[in-house]
Amino acid sequence: MNQTLLKKENPAEVSQPEESKSSSLVEDKKSEFDCRKYRQFAVTVYLDIQNVLGHLLKDCTEQYPPCPTVALDRLIFEMNKRYSETQLQVVVSPLILTTSDDPNHQRLSAHQHLHTGFLMLSGLQMRGDAMFSAEERSLDEETLEYAWLVELTVGTLSGKLTTPQLQNIITALEAFVFTVEDAENSLRHPRPYLYCYHGTPQPQCPQTTSEHFCPTTDTIKYKMVRASLDGISLNLVESGTILCFQMQELLSDPLIGMEAAHNFGTIVKDHNYALTSHTHANIRLLHKQRFFESVVGPLVELFSTTNDIKTKSCVLVAIASLLPWLTHIVLNAHIQKLLPVLLQGLYTSDFSKIGEASINMERHDARCGSETRLSTLTTLASLLKQNASPAERHTSTLISFLMPLTTYHPLTVGVKALECLAALVTLPVSVILPYRNEVSFFTAEEV
């Protein structure tokens, strides 16, 4: 019978190799590289928002116009992020901004369409490309952005606005920008320092000197922005332009009223040195007719409402200075409105002293009165030769006022007065039969 002698082991000696084995396993695990922690990932985002309606907020009361409204048909955002590059794209199509006037602002019925203005952007596309590099960067550090490229393509910006509507939009945009760039209420970053492009805090970077810090990534990266605009078609409109309003106010000025009246004709007359395409002036189609249509109504109204003789003379000069530079088609549409004013201004007894220097008028005003008469009679004669039917209701008044002017000096005024009388001959003749009482024609023999 064989017996095996078992030696009793010391417990301390047994536990020692087990602890050394476990510690070696831990070290092996620490030294083992787990690539899953540093694997690259890709992100693809597509966002499509349709039928967006918003407001540009501003301070509004009952006495001020409401906030502008922004309507967006479609907003698309795309992002494709990779390890070395990130691509962004934003598409807006189209965008319409509408605004309205002050609710207390009253307009004529013919100008009610100006109550609401709009701005429309046909399309907007923004593309961004950010480039990253891992050169000289550890795996635990972020990649370095070394370039940011932006391409902005803007469509056609068109719109029609009045001056108060434009001010309303600018006020709303100022409030929006002030809210976005409010540095007083902005949040502070919990880290009091910035990282330089080496990935270390700027104060601790070896490249930092006593004169300047080591630059950050945003400071040294390459930036490029390329923008293009298809076109702009903005119309700043109003029922009466600012220039017309100021000039009409100047007609009542006793010092410069006559000079302002003559400048009405300066705007529509043909120049060889100014207000031409050769001098890079923007000449719109039918600009003379547009200006005349905007001022003829207020001028006739001012002439009818004022009681000042000098103001009436200035209004007459303003109207007469416009007439020679307009076509007969335009003037025929307003002859019924202008003819009574011209007759009253030229020939009434209270106003007949315009051509002859009155007590308070200087010789320059007298010469201007003669020129006004000549200009008015020239245009009137030309209109009557084309079509004398509008003057049929004023035939007796015209004849009674034109006859004294045939002997007026200078002679050119008399000649034009004779031409006006000659044009009235084409009007149909009115036969007037005298009234005769009924009497008996019996002879004495028949009685």
Side-chain angles (χ1 to χ4, degrees):
M1 182 175 176
N2 296 328
Q3 294 181 358
T4 303
L5 180 62
L6 297 178
K7 185 179 179 182
K8 189 176 181 180
E9 297 180 353
N10 189 1
E13 295 178 356
V14 176
S15 61
Q16 184 175 1
E18 291 179 356
E19 291 178 357
S20 61
K21 289 180 181 179
S22 61
S23 61
S24 62
L25 290 175
V26 172
E27 292 178 356
D28 293 340
K29 289 182 179 180
K30 287 183 179 181
S31 61
E32 183 180 357
F33 177 76
D34 189 359
C35 62
R36 294 176 299 177
K37 295 182 180 180
Y38 305 100
R39 67 182 184 275
Q40 301 179 10
F41 67 95
V43 178
T44 302
V45 178
Y46 178 81
L47 183 63
D48 189 354
I49 304 176
Q50 300 180 9
N51 300 327
V52 179
L53 182 64
H55 298 275
L56 287 177
L57 299 180
K58 67 179 188 67
D59 186 16
C60 296
T61 61
E62 296 180 356
Q63 299 178 355
Y64 292 95
C67 299
T69 304
V70 180
L72 183 61
D73 181 63
R74 196 167 189 177
L75 174 63
I76 299 176
F77 172 74
E78 295 179 276
M79 183 179 70
N80 184 15
K81 182 175 178 58
R82 297 293 182 266
Y83 180 72
S84 60
E85 187 179 14
T86 298
Q87 296 176 337
L88 303 173
Q89 181 173 236
V90 178
V91 179
V92 176
S93 174
L95 188 145
I96 301 176
L97 188 148
T98 58
T99 181
S100 58
D101 282 336
D102 186 351
N104 298 324
H105 183 66
Q106 301 295 330
R107 297 183 184 274
L108 299 177
S109 57
H111 303 140
Q112 288 298 323
H113 64 282
L114 300 177
H115 179 70
T116 302
F118 72 94
L119 283 176
M120 184 179 70
L121 184 63
S122 61
L124 174 65
Q125 184 180 38
M126 192 276 289
R127 294 178 178 178
D129 194 348
M131 299 180 182
F132 301 90
S133 174
E135 196 72 23
E136 298 181 359
R137 310 286 287 186
S138 64
L139 292 177
D140 295 329
E141 294 178 341
E142 296 180 354
T143 55
L144 180 67
E145 182 183 0
Y146 64 91
W148 171 241
L149 312 177
V150 178
E151 181 182 9
L152 186 64
T153 304
V154 184
T156 302
L157 179 63
S158 59
K160 181 188 70 174
L161 295 171
T162 61
T163 306
Q165 293 166 1
L166 180 62
Q167 181 184 8
N168 189 29
I169 295 176
I170 294 176
T171 303
L173 292 177
E174 286 180 348
F176 176 76
V177 173
F178 178 78
T179 304
V180 172
E181 297 183 351
D182 188 6
E184 182 179 356
N185 297 320
S186 60
L187 298 178
R188 293 184 178 181
H189 199 280
R191 188 176 63 240
Y193 52 84
L194 298 177
Y195 282 97
C196 67
Y197 70 95
H198 298 103
T200 59
Q202 283 185 320
Q204 302 176 8
C205 181
Q207 302 294 333
T208 299
T209 63
S210 59
E211 297 180 356
H212 60 84
F213 285 105
C214 183
T216 60
T217 304
D218 293 334
T219 306
I220 64 173
K221 72 178 177 182
Y222 175 76
K223 299 177 183 179
M224 187 192 75
V225 178
R226 182 172 60 187
S228 63
L229 179 63
D230 292 344
I232 298 178
S233 178
L234 294 178
N235 298 302
L236 192 62
V237 297
E238 190 51 81
S239 57
T241 61
I242 299 177
L243 179 62
C244 299
F245 174 77
Q246 290 181 349
M247 291 180 65
Q248 292 165 19
E249 292 294 326
L250 293 176
L251 293 179
S252 303
D253 194 304
L255 298 177
I256 59 175
M258 190 61 65
E259 296 296 333
H262 282 288
N263 286 326
F264 274 83
T266 304
I267 296 176
V268 296
K269 68 184 298 185
D270 297 327
H271 298 269
N272 295 327
Y273 55 88
L275 297 180
T276 62
S277 57
H278 299 288
T279 57
H280 307 286
N282 186 14
I283 307 298
R284 296 183 60 189
L285 185 64
L286 303 177
H287 69 282
K288 296 181 180 180
Q289 291 85 336
R290 292 173 184 269
F291 180 77
F292 180 74
E293 293 285 346
S294 64
V295 300
V296 62
L299 287 177
V300 172
E301 183 180 358
L302 179 61
F303 186 89
S304 303
T305 56
T306 185
N307 296 323
D308 186 19
I309 296 179
K310 275 198 170 184
T311 303
K312 286 181 178 289
S313 66
C314 293
V315 173
L316 178 62
V317 171
I319 295 177
S321 63
L322 294 172
L323 298 182
W325 310 103
L326 299 170
T327 61
H328 294 157
I329 298 176
V330 177
L331 294 177
N332 284 330
H334 300 276
I335 189 63
Q336 297 290 351
K337 184 191 303 181
L338 291 175
L339 192 57
V341 176
L342 296 177
L343 291 177
Q344 181 184 359
L346 285 174
Y347 308 114
T348 55
S349 58
D350 292 338
F351 200 67
S352 59
K353 297 180 181 179
I354 294 178
E356 310 166 359
S358 61
I359 298 176
N360 296 326
M361 287 187 178
E362 299 178 358
R363 294 181 180 179
H364 175 71
D365 294 335
R367 183 176 57 84
C368 293
S370 299
E371 294 176 356
T372 301
R373 273 204 175 100
L374 179 60
S375 176
T376 305
L377 289 174
T378 302
T379 306
L380 185 60
S382 179
L383 289 175
L384 293 178
K385 290 177 182 179
Q386 295 289 330
N387 183 17
S389 58
E392 185 175 359
R393 295 187 305 172
H394 309 278
T395 304
S396 59
T397 307
L398 275 172
I399 294 175
S400 61
F401 290 153
L402 289 173
M403 289 299 295
L405 290 177
T406 56
T407 58
Y408 186 84
H409 296 284
L411 186 60
T412 52
V413 175
V415 172
K416 293 302 177 181
L418 290 174
E419 291 181 4
C420 293
L421 289 172
L424 295 177
V425 178
T426 60
L427 292 175
V429 179
S430 300
V431 179
I432 301 176
L433 298 177
Y435 177 76
R436 184 174 62 179
N437 293 329
E438 293 183 0
V439 295
S440 58
F441 295 94
F442 296 104
T443 61
E445 295 180 354
E446 292 177 348
V447 174

